[in-house]
Each structure stands twice: as structure tokens, then as C-alpha cells.
Amino acid sequence: MPNIVVVGAGVSGLTTALLLSKNPEYKVTIVAKHMPGDYDIEYTSPWAGANYLPVSNKAGSRWEKDTWPELERLARDIPEAGIHFQDAIIYNRTKDAQATTGQWFNELLSPTPWFKSVVPNFRIIPSAELPSYADSGSVFTSVCINTAVYLPYLIGQCRANGVVLKREVLKHISDAASLHASGSKADVVVNCTGLLASKLGGVMDKDVIPARGQIVVVRNTPGAMFTVSGTDDGDDEVSYIMQRAAGGGTILGGTYQKGSWESQPDPSTAIRIMKRAVELCPALTGGKGIEALSVIRHGVGLRPLREKGVRIETEKVEGVTVVHNYGHGGWGYQGSYGCAEGAKELVDEALKPKAKL
Ligand code: FAD
């Protein structure tokens, strides 16, 4: 029976372990420095919104496209996953086309994106219904994930399939091969280390950098999710609102600061985030100012950005077969099932002679 060690317990590691564990032949152990329940600047997944706003172009759409059906199923049929449906309202300002966020949201802002036939109820917003600052807009049914519920849900699903979880801090990716719960050497190691893939021995991927996201979590309820293509407060500031399922609060964002490892929320950035949010959705405070926001907490997460694209590939490192699945930037949840499927295909391929597939 093949032994597999997955390194990482963020959304990428847990989803990959879950899909692998569905094959009863595979014995899966997860090892990670951080687990659900931890809030740490080195651990991105708890900080995410998280919703489904596709950002890949048509050519690279496989990961996000293949993820939608599972997120839709979870929102529809599995209340304990902590995911619900919400309308996503996208406003586009033509002047943001060349800005960092305008580029990042290029496909999202298109009137004919690839995902218009994937998500339900996609439609263009008539100009009479747009706010004065927006040149165009669209709306569709999306989902919002309460990460504080969903990550433990994934753990539960993994454990039900016999996955063992262990706390370990690795210096080198090849060390993972000796950490399988069986005591035997792992046949394959799956690397889901997110941003720390830039610092882990045997990987040291210098293309992986943080894209810092500062957020404010509030109790106020917007009734829908809102995103705008850019802000007038600087190229690395963004404006979005999403209400998490199951009492998870509402996330107000944010920033997209490439290369910044700063872990502490900046107070003046927080004020700008809140001001933009009440302008974007006056219903959030019943038309009042930011003093009417009920703040739960301020936070910072670092998106594991790899500008040349996510790394899903197999590599031999010091004699150990390693399948990589890292570098998801700001779309790790909305691409989680597609990427985990891709990583699982590579594991299946690497184990072909050994497993009865
Ligand atoms: P992580 O969650 O960082 O997990 C990495 C794991 O690897 C951890 O368990 C860590 O301990 C482990 N690890 C690393 N190095 C070692 C080591 N040496 N030894 C042992 N263990 C190690 N995505 C969306 O899809 N939709 C959104 O709406 C969205 N909103 C976001 C908003 C913000 C503010 C932020 C910050 C991110 C957002 N994202 C969103 C992006 C998403 O959060 C990330 O893409 C995703 O969480 C990355 O997950 P990961 O599992 O790859 O990495």
C-alpha cells in the first residue's frame, strides 16, 4: 500500500490529502507547522475571505473551473462545511485597467468571462443600476466560505478517511519522507507549503513572494458581496466586501502589497478600508459612517503569489518523489479542488507500478 506524506495543512494540503484519501489503497499522513485553529503570518488560509471570484484567463481556467462544482455542492447540500451562496457584485472603473488590481481582475471584469457559463445567474448590470463611479458591472451567484468552519471540516473529512495529522517543522522537503505515520518511508511527498516554499530546503522557490492582504472583520451584514476594480488610495489597495457563512462575520478588504512581509495591521490603512467599504455598500451601516461598523478584529494574511503561475509538477529531490502544489496567490480556495485533482493525478502517475489503481 503506497504511503503518502502531504506537507501543509492549509486549504491546498487538506484538499489534496482529502482527495488522495478517497483511494483506500493510499495511506496518507499530513505534517505541518501550522494547523487549523492557528492564526499566524506564515499560515495564509485562515485569513482568506474566502469567496469564488475567478481571476485566471481562459487558458489557465482549469483549476478554478473544476473547483466550482464541488463548492456549489458543499454550499447546497453540506451545511457543516460552512459555505453559503451569495451574489457577487463586480463594479468596473475603466481608469483601473492598467492598475495592479485592474490587471489582477482582468478576466473578472470582462463582460464575457469564461466563467459566465460555469456560475449561475451571470448577468451584466444595466448602466442605470450602476453607482456613479462605475463604468460597467456584472453580478452572479457565488459562494462565501467561513474558513474558521471549513478548514476544520476538511480535517474531519480527512480523519474519517484514515488520514493522520502530525505537527512537524521541516528544514528540507526530503525529510518529509521519513515522517509517515506507519514508520515506513513515504513513496511520495506532496508539497503544499504555500508561501514558505520560498524558504524550505530542497524547494527554495524565489518566485514565490507575499502579496499582503490587510482586512477588517466586522459584525455588520452587507446582504451581498461587492468588489470594485481599483481604488483612489493607491495602486496596491483594493476594495471588497464579503459576508461569511454561519456567523463568520463580514470581511472588508483590503490590500494587495507585493513583496511585503509586514504582519501587523496598519491603522491608517484600516481606516481607508472601512471608509471605502461604507461607500461601496452604504447598507453595511444603514447609510452611516465607519463609526457604525462593529469591528471583530483587524488582520493580515500573506497570499502565496507565484507570478509565473501555480506549481503543480513532479520533481525528484534527493531521491524522494515530490509532487508540488503551491503558489496559489489570491485564489487558493476557488482553485482548491481543481489543483488538488491535478496534484492527485501526478501522485497516481508516480505510483502507477505500485498501486492497484
Ligand atoms: P497555507 O494556508 O499558507 O498553508 C501552508 C501550510 O504549509 C501550513 O500548514 C504551514 O504550516 C505548512 N508549512 C509550510 N512550511 C512548512 C515547513 N517547513 N514545515 C512544516 N510545515 C510547513 N483565496 C480564494 O480562493 N478566495 C478568496 O476570497 C481569498 N481571499 C483572500 C483574502 C486574503 C486577505 C488573503 C491573505 C488570501 C486570500 N485568498 C483567497 C488566498 C488563499 O487564502 C490562499 O491562496 C490559500 O490560503 C493558500 O493556501 P495554502 O494551503 O497553499 O497555504
Side-chain angles (χ1 to χ4, degrees):
M1 289 226 182
N3 292 331
I4 301 166
V5 170
V6 176
V7 186
V11 68
S12 308
L14 294 175
T15 313
T16 307
L18 176 58
L19 296 195
L20 289 167
S21 70
K22 289 186 176 177
N23 181 340
E25 297 264 309
Y26 291 168
K27 297 295 160 218
V28 182
T29 299
I30 298 174
V31 299
K33 184 175 180 185
H34 308 93
M35 295 277 179
D38 302 345
Y39 282 85
D40 193 291
I41 196 63
E42 292 182 333
Y43 183 34
T44 310
S45 293
W47 301 106
N51 66 7
Y52 186 89
L53 295 184
V55 287
S56 57
N57 60 21
K58 193 170 189 313
S61 63
R62 173 187 168 189
W63 315 125
E64 291 176 324
K65 193 174 182 181
D66 290 356
T67 299
W68 174 257
E70 184 59 8
L71 293 183
E72 185 180 40
R73 183 187 76 84
L74 291 170
R76 191 184 55 233
D77 299 333
I78 313 290
E80 60 271 33
I83 303 179
H84 67 174
F85 291 111
Q86 276 213 315
D87 278 351
I89 298 168
I90 318 294
Y91 294 133
N92 181 28
R93 311 185 313 170
T94 312
K95 65 179 174 182
D96 299 323
Q98 298 313 316
T100 301
T101 46
Q103 294 288 306
W104 175 27
F105 290 159
N106 192 28
E107 189 71 13
L108 184 65
L109 300 169
S110 160
T112 53
W114 60 262
F115 60 83
K116 81 183 263 207
S117 57
V118 174
V119 293
N121 307 317
F122 180 93
R123 70 179 174 90
I124 299 298
I125 300 173
S127 46
E129 292 173 25
L130 291 171
S132 56
Y133 56 81
D135 299 300
S136 60
S138 59
V139 58
F140 55 91
T141 302
S142 179
V143 291
C144 190
I145 302 168
N146 181 344
T147 63
V149 175
Y150 183 59
L151 294 171
Y153 166 79
L154 288 176
I155 296 252
Q157 296 298 297
C158 285
R159 281 173 59 82
N161 287 351
V163 175
V164 178
L165 290 106
K166 290 167 56 173
R167 289 268 186 179
E168 299 284 352
V169 182
L170 299 185
K171 287 203 161 66
H172 197 281
I173 190 68
S174 62
D175 295 343
S178 58
L179 294 173
H180 194 268
S182 65
S184 305
K185 192 167 181 273
D187 299 283
V188 177
V189 168
V190 186
N191 172 23
C192 301
T193 51
L195 185 58
L196 294 187
S198 61
K199 297 184 174 174
L200 179 60
V203 186
M204 294 291 226
D205 187 338
K206 292 302 165 207
D207 290 324
V208 179
I209 59 163
R212 180 180 179 274
Q214 182 168 330
I215 52 164
V216 185
V217 189
V218 298
R219 296 183 181 84
N220 309 60
T221 51
M225 299 189 286
F226 296 83
T227 303
V228 64
S229 57
T231 79
D232 296 329
D233 292 330
D235 191 47
D236 57 2
E237 301 220 0
V238 292
S239 189
Y240 62 84
I241 299 172
M242 58 180 99
Q243 186 185 333
R244 283 176 166 176
T250 296
I251 307 288
L252 312 180
T255 60
Y256 195 77
Q257 295 162 326
K258 291 187 198 174
S260 171
W261 289 82
E262 177 53 59
S263 64
Q264 297 307 303
D266 170 58
S268 47
T269 306
I271 299 282
R272 290 197 297 278
I273 289 172
M274 293 189 282
K275 279 191 171 168
R276 291 194 298 260
V278 298
E279 276 165 31
L280 181 58
C281 176
L284 197 59
T285 49
K288 296 185 182 144
I290 64 170
E291 66 283 358
L293 289 171
S294 172
V295 176
I296 300 169
R297 66 176 169 274
H298 296 269
V300 174
L302 303 179
R303 303 172 182 91
L305 179 64
R306 190 169 185 265
E307 280 188 300
K308 64 184 190 188
V310 65
R311 186 173 184 204
I312 299 179
E313 64 184 14
T314 309
E315 185 187 18
K316 273 265 187 219
V317 184
E318 301 199 356
V320 175
T321 304
V322 178
V323 171
H324 299 288
N325 180 12
Y326 67 82
H328 304 82
W331 56 274
Y333 282 85
Q334 64 201 35
S336 55
Y337 284 91
C339 290
E341 268 298 339
K344 180 178 174 297
E345 284 166 18
L346 297 180
V347 171
D348 290 344
E349 206 172 289
L351 291 171
K352 238 179 206 157
K354 205 157 182 180
K356 286 182 230 139
L357 297 173

